[in-house]
Amino acid sequence: MSDSHAGPPEAEADGPSYDPAAPAPLGVERAPTGHADVDACLARLGDADHLATDGHIEVYEDVHRGLRDALTALDERPGPPAPTGAPSSSYDRS
């Protein structure tokens, strides 16, 4: 029997191996929006780069919740005061 079929050579066994299922960054750049809450959510997306696929859902749900909260906060900002009383009419009915 030949030794060439006994197993991988020593250099290959000790060297780094490529695991296609290992987490790998996508390299997607995230530009700042100028809104601190939104920027924090977008930065959180980078956490998924270091997780296995089954860990992404937690990050995505957290980011979605944060972005939804930021949008809701925009609706809660006080706007101009609502008009009070009945609308006035320039038409005189007398």
Side-chain angles (χ1 to χ4, degrees), residues 19-82:
D19 181 3
L26 294 175
V28 176
E29 292 189 35
R30 291 171 293 276
T33 65
H35 190 281
D37 293 336
V38 173
D39 290 341
C41 290
L42 295 177
R44 172 86 166 103
L45 285 174
D47 294 344
D49 287 347
H50 310 289
L51 299 172
T53 305
D54 60 350
H56 290 190
I57 188 90
E58 181 182 337
V59 173
Y60 295 156
E61 286 178 346
D62 185 42
V63 170
H64 181 258
R65 186 173 30 258
L67 292 173
R68 188 180 58 230
D69 291 348
L71 286 172
T72 300
L74 292 174
D75 289 339
E76 293 174 354
R77 286 186 182 168

